Amino acid sequence: MQSLTTRSKVASNKKMTFVEKLYLPAILGGMRITLNHFFKKKVTISYPEQTRPMAPVYRGQHVLKRDENGAERCTACGLCAVACPAEAITMTAAERKPGEEALYREEKYASVYEINMLRCIFCGLCEEACPKEAIFLTDRIIDSGYLRKSFIFGKDILVDPLDKPIDVSVRETKETREFKTHPEFAHNKLNTKSLK
Amino acid sequence: MTLSLFIIYKAVLVILVFLISLVIAMYSTYAERKVAAFMQDRIGPNRAGPFGLLQPVADGVKMFMKEEIIPQVSNKFLFILGPSVAMFTSCITGAVIPWGTSLHIAGHDFALQVTDINIGILYVMAVTSIGVYGIMIGGWASNNKYSLLGALRASSQMISYEVAMGLAIIALVMTTGTLSLKGIAAAQTGWHWNIVYQPLGFLIFIICAFAETNRTPFDLPESDSELIGGYHTEYSSMKLGFYLFAEYINMFISSAIMSTLYFGGYNMPFIGRLGLSPNTMAILGVVFLFAKIFFFIFFFMWVRWTIPRFRFDQLMNLGWKILIPLSIFNMAITGFIILVLHK
Ligand code: SF4
Ligand code: SF4
């Protein structure tokens, strides 16, 4: 039979030789190995002081971006919710009233937008589906909490803060934007134009 | 020496030995975790205090704060008696160990040994045999099949390995000619350590010591993976703490006994040539003894984090079919050599 790895060993029930029966050589060999490890470099990362390097495209907590004028980009089209394999996103749409142009970019906006972070698998499909470049995943880690309730993130947490916008330039690279202008995504064209 | 001085001196010594055993047992738990971590390429506890040095204190506080549970169906008296016996017996063994020679202060001679009974070794063997009652009573009183199995394993293991241990010691006693630990330690000046004369005896002794202290690879009485903690499955709070503590004290005491019996006790080669005053020598002796003890404690841990547990039939095989014949052989050889040398 072909072995799956190069490290597999054939097990046998052969009688142990006298030296093997003494156990002591094997025990000493084992103790040498453990002593070697005693002086090896430790692999532990002391977490709060030290953190692991994160991948530049790490997918963590979502952000709902605003456009360059500070108006929310999301138009409550629901494509993210449809794309979401975990069915984590729910929203309620509302119509923009006159005078709210500075708040919402499109005529229809999401009055409620919730992502259940316990359901979310951080696949990033919502980000891919969004025609308005509104939702992005960031490198922020979701905090732990005591209540299930606390993991349903509403607009208060998700929407980009006005004073210090969250940088998503890593995920919104030129290549990404170019990719989204592909003829296959022609329906996006109109919308991506308004983006810088 | 007046009687009152004698009593004060002995009391101080007893309390000192007691405290040292406790502190060492306490920090053995810390050392165990550190050694385990280092051998597994980890760091180990390092949050409580500098380098995690307050970890044992935190553990102790935790043990005291835990809810005390006594199973309803168990015999309450025996249930409490178990850990008490285990703790008591492991604490009183330290009485016969010579921690050093003696200090001369103000014309008095203060031997650094609580009591030098002329059958020191027998005393140690007897007390450790009582120690198994702590485990047995605890396991029996728990009224739990896992506890009972653990207790049964502990007692059968003790009985099997005590035989080989005793036979190994007999060979040692044949060469030293005394049963007093003080006499044995004093005879091993310079390089005349007993390990040189009794290498096989030492090997048997150390294997049995592992079995007697229930340390891996012979930790079958507790084996958490099969018996969920064995004899102390039902125990909680400080009563569990006592069992675990007793085990660490036992480890310390058996390290001390191994150092005394086979590794010269407080003796160190060449130290006599430095021409130091007797008092300095005595203090240095204590330091040497503790260095040896710490090495053995480390050795216990080193083995624990290297070797997997024996199967029970393998354990019995090793005890009865290998160690006992081997120790009888060792005894015969020793007797033969003594006979030849003294002809
Ligand atoms: S990251 Fe994936 S799972 Fe999470 S909300 Fe977006 S689409 Fe759903
Ligand atoms: S896909 Fe984009 S625009 Fe549509 S609802 Fe989701 S976030 Fe809003």
Side-chain angles (χ1 to χ4, degrees), chain A residues 44 46, chain B residues 27-38 42-56 58-59:
Chain A
T44 309
S46 304
Chain B
Y27 274 91
S28 295
T29 62
Y30 169 77
E32 174 109 83
R33 295 162 78 170
K34 275 287 186 194
V35 168
F38 271 62
R42 295 183 286 115
I43 298 177
N46 65 346
R47 293 287 146 160
F51 303 107
L53 276 173
L54 294 180
Q55 189 69 42
D59 284 342

Side-chain angles (χ1 to χ4, degrees), chain A residues 27-130:
Chain A
I27 288 174
L28 290 179
M31 288 175 68
R32 213 198 62 218
I33 292 173
T34 40
L35 195 67
N36 276 345
H37 278 271
F38 196 86
F39 298 109
K40 273 220 180 112
K41 202 174 162 288
K42 307 301 168 215
V43 294
T44 309
I45 295 171
S46 304
Y47 168 59
E49 295 97 43
Q50 265 176 315
T51 43
R52 306 178 87 102
M54 258 190 188
V57 288
Y58 185 87
R59 297 192 297 262
Q61 185 184 327
H62 311 62
V63 62
L64 282 172
K65 288 298 285 181
R66 296 170 188 274
D67 70 0
E68 50 279 13
N69 305 322
E72 287 172 22
R73 288 177 184 171
C74 175
T75 183
C77 64
L79 285 177
C80 50
V82 173
C84 179
E87 303 191 352
I89 304 178
T90 52
M91 72 193 74
T92 310
E95 195 181 340
R96 184 179 66 186
K97 302 267 156 35
E100 289 181 333
E101 284 84 359
L103 291 178
Y104 312 109
R105 192 176 63 181
E106 316 285 340
E107 283 167 20
K108 183 178 150 221
Y109 72 97
S111 57
V112 177
Y113 189 102
E114 282 176 345
I115 302 183
N116 186 337
M117 292 302 173
L118 290 175
R119 302 197 67 156
C120 176
I121 56 170
F122 303 98
C123 59
L125 288 182
C126 45
E127 176 186 307
E128 229 169 271
C130 182

Side-chain angles (χ1 to χ4, degrees), chain B residues 127-146:
Chain B
V127 170
T128 47
S129 313
I130 298 174
V132 74
Y133 282 99
I135 294 177
M136 267 192 70
I137 292 173
W140 175 256
S142 298
N143 201 5
N144 171 324
K145 56 183 172 246
Y146 292 115

Side-chain angles (χ1 to χ4, degrees), chain B residues 94-117:
Chain B
V96 291
I97 293 170
W99 302 101
T101 44
S102 47
L103 289 173
H104 296 274
I105 301 168
H108 293 297
D109 214 4
F110 296 103
L112 293 176
Q113 184 183 20
V114 176
T115 171
D116 175 32
I117 43 181

